[in-house]
Amino acid sequence: MNELPLTRRLQPRAPPAAAGFALWNLGFRPFYLLASVFSAVSVLLWAAQYSGWLPSSYLQGPLWHGHEMLFGYTLAVIAGFLLTAVRAWTGQPTPTGVPLMALAALWVLGRVLVLTPLDTAAAAVNAAFPIALAVAIGIPLARSRNFRNYFFVGLLVLMGGLILALHLAAQNIFELPPRLGLLLAMDVVLFIMTVMGGRVIPMFTNNGVPGAGATRHPIVEKFALGSVLVLFLADLLQAQSAVVAAIALIAAIAHGARLALWRSWWTLATPLVWILHAAYAWIVVHLALRGLSGLDVLAESFAVHALTMGAIGGLTLGMMTGTARGHTGRPLIADGFELAMFLLVQVAAVVRVFGGMAAPELYLSSVQLSGLLWSAAFGLYAVRYWPVLTRARLDGKPG
């Protein structure tokens, strides 16, 4: 099987916590922990900055927030997932120990440098991280001739190029609206989520919810993924807003049909599964709102946050929970902590997207409240999963 396996859902009793420091045993461990801590802190800082309580950084205002959301938090989660998944897909080793420490240090250095006046160093280090990650997963993929997943290498290289272009544009070296760099990066992340969502969500649904009957239709699959690629191309060519709106609305229909085939209503009693469905539903909302914003019906920021807070937040938190449990020998069931995290991030997205839309006079309050809810969700993950991610597997297996 080419996907991450869904291990046993239920165990009568978890074995006692294993001894030994295991943070550098496999890629998901440090990157999930770093991502959760960083996400909790950075969104609070952004809410304070947006409220006028903190000065802007080298990347001014929303540009820093968007940069760190995509190239900081999201790339960290992608790194943790791919470094773990590629080992499972190929049977080949991925970085552990000192090489994994070096990758994590490169990511941390990027987060620090964007807060300093060292713009050239910030550009180089941040662009270097996805390139280094591409090399880290490209070697085992090439050794195993796993060409099916080699497109991830290309997407990571593309992300490195977009980061560099955004920084050069911010420094007035390259003629490109910095917003366009973020928009294209969002499209790339959207494509990664739709690819991985299509692979794992139906599988997790059928394995975790007996009788769910989630299915995939070849025509719907091609149309859904193709529509995201067309949207990326339209954004790259800076097509007219009406054209982009039409593509986004068609894509929303395609992904809505895809989600309907996964039979989400069967998953409501299984939090580790329904969080993935809820996150994917936000992709449909994002595309619909993107279409409406292109028609000047509403502001683009609502569509942006449907993707970043709703889809990215929900999907990454769900995957960070499921894979951390599965790859540390724990049962794949959610307790009260996990349920609280999932609800917090979903409510944060609802408040951020629909709060300001329904009551424009409360827009600032919706930003502040959603930031607090988001930070609470990821802060809870960091506290809950610190011992999980830093200790050896409960079953004694490597990883």
Side-chain angles (χ1 to χ4, degrees), residues 251-340:
I253 295 171
H255 287 274
R258 193 188 200 199
L259 181 62
L261 290 172
W262 298 344
R263 298 165 63 86
S264 302
W265 55 91
W266 278 80
T267 70
L268 297 180
T270 312
L272 280 177
V273 180
W274 72 243
I275 184 61
L276 304 179
H277 285 257
Y280 205 91
W282 279 105
I283 289 178
V284 180
V285 173
H286 160 72
L287 291 166
L289 295 180
R290 181 99 199 268
L292 294 176
S293 69
L295 298 174
D296 294 325
V297 175
L298 47 79
E300 186 182 51
S301 66
F302 297 121
V304 168
H305 287 90
L307 178 67
T308 54
M309 297 196 80
I312 294 176
L315 192 59
T316 55
L317 192 57
M319 294 303 296
M320 286 162 65
T321 302
T323 56
R325 281 187 162 273
H327 284 275
T328 57
R330 287 169 170 79
L332 284 174
I333 54 174
D335 59 19
F337 286 97
E338 281 86 4
L339 183 59

Side-chain angles (χ1 to χ4, degrees), residues 192-218:
I192 292 173
M193 288 195 299
T194 55
V195 169
M196 294 312 303
R199 291 186 185 185
V200 304
I201 295 176
M203 182 185 68
F204 276 31
T205 301
N206 290 331
N207 289 349
V209 186
T215 61
R216 299 170 66 187
H217 193 286

Side-chain angles (χ1 to χ4, degrees), residues 13 41 44 80 90 98 108 152 156 165 171-172 213 225 262 272 283 286 298 300 340 370 377 395:
R13 183 176 299 174
V41 173
L44 280 181
T90 65
V98 174
V108 171
F152 283 113
L156 289 169
Q171 297 169 30
N172 297 316
L225 297 178
W262 298 344
L272 280 177
I283 289 178
H286 160 72
L298 47 79
E300 186 182 51
S370 65
D395 54 15

